[in-house]
DNA sequence: TGTACATCAGTGAACGCGCGTTCACTGATGTAC
DNA sequence: TGTACATCAGTGAACGCGCGTTCACTGATGTAC
């Protein structure tokens, strides 16, 4: 699993405790949302004094940023793994939903309501565009057989725009139709998923599965 | 504007101060998100002592709940007004976006990351379904000329599901195709809008207008 | 194998802060005769 | 029009709390000779 040879016992212990702190942090976030995260509460839960945590994280913000980073990494892994096992766009969509439902607050940490003024570190932005890259790959192969929309089609104008504004996919050779598909994947699935996770469908008597699947069926169009 | 005849000066003053408290509250939410709202801070900003606010709101939660209520009302008004002036689904979509961009945090208070454990009072749920009702009206008239999807169509299965699960539109005579359109309106526009407001498109070199308009063009399909 | 020293995890006290909320009170505004 | 009383807005002190964070310190663990 890990390169254990170079790890001293102390390092191993350190890594283990860092991991446990994060676990507790996720539990707190699940229970009260990200704003309710408290270092002292985590320490108490672990049977330690508050200041002890400063051996492992230099501040509360530091911990939260690392949690966000982990969330992005976890999502990127999920998408990469699904793609590596040959999943098409719909398959990636299913993987995304499974990942989101596993821990809704983790999903919201990535795509939820932003804290005004917070700016993600650059390396997180990098992971985000890596995720986009995986989407583009799948969108590209999905589009191999597809046609370009004709002039009257509602997508024609969007593709024209994307053909000229593709900085976000600068180092990816995807065709405009693939850019469109990747973006649709993102915005449409996020639309259903975020409303589902926020509980807006409960009480409506709707099956989120059906809504989501229905969007998945549209993806390859 | 208001029924001023029955209002005593005291009542007028009271209403005015309540309104100012809410205004300051919105400013704070815009600056630091809903979790950062503090009664004491509002009072200080208004040149009053903290406890004074308890003449106007019985607790912090009470104030927040009222802000959420106002947000729902404001959105319902916006949609109703647009519908009353003859807007079609796309028109409602544009009204929704204008409303959301006017105050992103207000939008997120309605559709953003939920606080685990928070349950909206029933009257707020009522307004939410009123908004749905307005959507259904527009979706119904948009569908007057539209066809039912054939068996192979990706929407066929969703409509079949909606035909049998329509509690959420129980007192509305909308056809399944209209239910589908109303739901799509909601989930797809929310998808683009929430990502836009959360800033996920900035730095990508994309024009959110184009993305949103492109979804609007799909609505009547 | 044993001793001397350095490293580092964790503690407890403390600082300063802001929070929501309660309470007894002052003073101004409105109401009744 | 003037007086007596009731209503109500707002204050200041106080309570209890939890927060993030710093600091000097203890004691255990690891390292070097």
């Amino acid at each position: 699993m890990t390169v254990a040879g170079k790890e001293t016992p102390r390092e191993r212990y350190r890594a283990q405790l860092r991991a446990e702190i994060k676990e507790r942090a996720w539990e707190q976030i699940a229970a009260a949302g990200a704003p309710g995260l408290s270092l002292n509460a985590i320490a108490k839960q672990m049977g330690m004094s508050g200041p002890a945590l400063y051996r492992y994280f230099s501040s509360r913000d530091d911990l939260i940023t690392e949690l966000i980073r982990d969330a992005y990494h976890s999502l990127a892994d999920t998408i990469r793994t699904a793609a590596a096992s040959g999943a098409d766009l719909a398959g990636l969509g299913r993987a995304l939903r499974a990942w989101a439902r596993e821990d809704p607050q983790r999903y919201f940490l990535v795509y939820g309501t932003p804290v005004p003024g917070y700016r993600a570190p650059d390396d997180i932005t990098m992971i985000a565009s890596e995720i986009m890259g995986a989407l583009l790959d799948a969108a590209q192969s999905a589009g191999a057989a597809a046609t370009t929309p004709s002039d009257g089609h509602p997508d024609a104008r969007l593709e024209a725009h994307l053909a000229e504004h593709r900085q976000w996919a600068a180092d990816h050779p995807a065709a405009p139709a693939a850019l469109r598909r990747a973006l649709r994947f993102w915005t449409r699935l996020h639309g259903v998923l975020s409303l589902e996770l926020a509980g807006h469908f409960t009480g409506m008597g709707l099956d989120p599965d059906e809504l989501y699947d229905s969007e998945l069926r549209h993806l390859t169009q």
Side-chain angles (χ1 to χ4, degrees), chain A:
Chain A
M1 282 292 171
T2 53
V3 189
K6 294 240 170 173
E7 261 182 359
T8 68
R10 245 186 197 158
E11 282 166 345
R12 202 166 14 225
Y13 177 76
R14 231 187 120 69
Q16 200 173 306
L17 241 174
R18 270 180 71 92
E20 189 180 343
I21 293 170
K22 285 192 202 170
E23 260 177 56
R24 304 287 174 204
W26 282 115
E27 289 170 16
Q28 280 203 13
I29 287 177
L37 201 171
S38 140
L39 287 188
N40 287 323
I42 293 173
K44 186 176 293 183
Q45 211 184 353
M46 293 175 65
M48 300 171 70
S49 73
L53 298 202
Y54 284 78
R55 293 268 164 201
Y56 303 92
F57 296 92
S58 67
S59 71
R60 190 193 109 107
D61 267 20
D62 186 44
L63 171 58
I64 288 190
T65 299
E66 182 127 345
L67 293 177
I68 295 177
R69 203 192 321 273
D70 285 358
Y72 271 93
H73 269 127
S74 165
L75 176 55
D77 281 355
T78 298
I79 297 291
R80 254 196 310 257
T81 302
S85 73
D88 59 357
L89 267 188
L92 295 194
R94 279 185 288 268
L96 170 66
R97 182 154 178 261
W99 180 84
R101 285 162 57 110
E102 214 171 83
D103 186 344
Q105 289 292 330
R106 182 180 56 180
Y107 181 85
F108 285 126
L109 217 49
V110 172
Y111 291 122
T113 311
V115 177
Y118 179 83
R119 196 188 169 282
D122 287 342
D123 64 311
I124 287 182
T125 313
M126 295 291 294
I127 311 170
S129 61
E130 216 181 285
I131 294 171
M132 262 299 161
L135 280 194
L136 283 169
D137 288 342
Q140 179 74 331
S141 39
T147 59
T148 302
S150 60
D151 261 18
H153 195 274
D155 284 336
R157 179 167 165 161
L158 177 62
E159 286 197 18
H161 173 73
L162 294 178
E164 292 189 358
H165 297 81
R166 44 177 303 150
Q167 297 99 295
W168 57 284
D171 51 358
H172 199 287
L179 302 181
R180 167 176 61 82
R181 258 186 278 271
L183 275 176
R184 288 262 195 266
F185 176 101
W186 190 28
T187 65
R188 289 188 176 174
L189 297 189
H190 168 70
V192 176
L193 203 39
S194 65
L195 289 173
E196 176 192 358
L197 298 179
H200 284 285
F201 296 148
T202 54
M204 285 179 76
L206 281 173
D207 187 355
D209 288 12
E210 291 286 346
L211 265 174
Y212 197 82
D213 284 352
S214 158
E215 284 293 21
L216 287 181
R217 263 174 262 129
H218 273 276
L219 281 183
T220 44
Q221 294 226 307

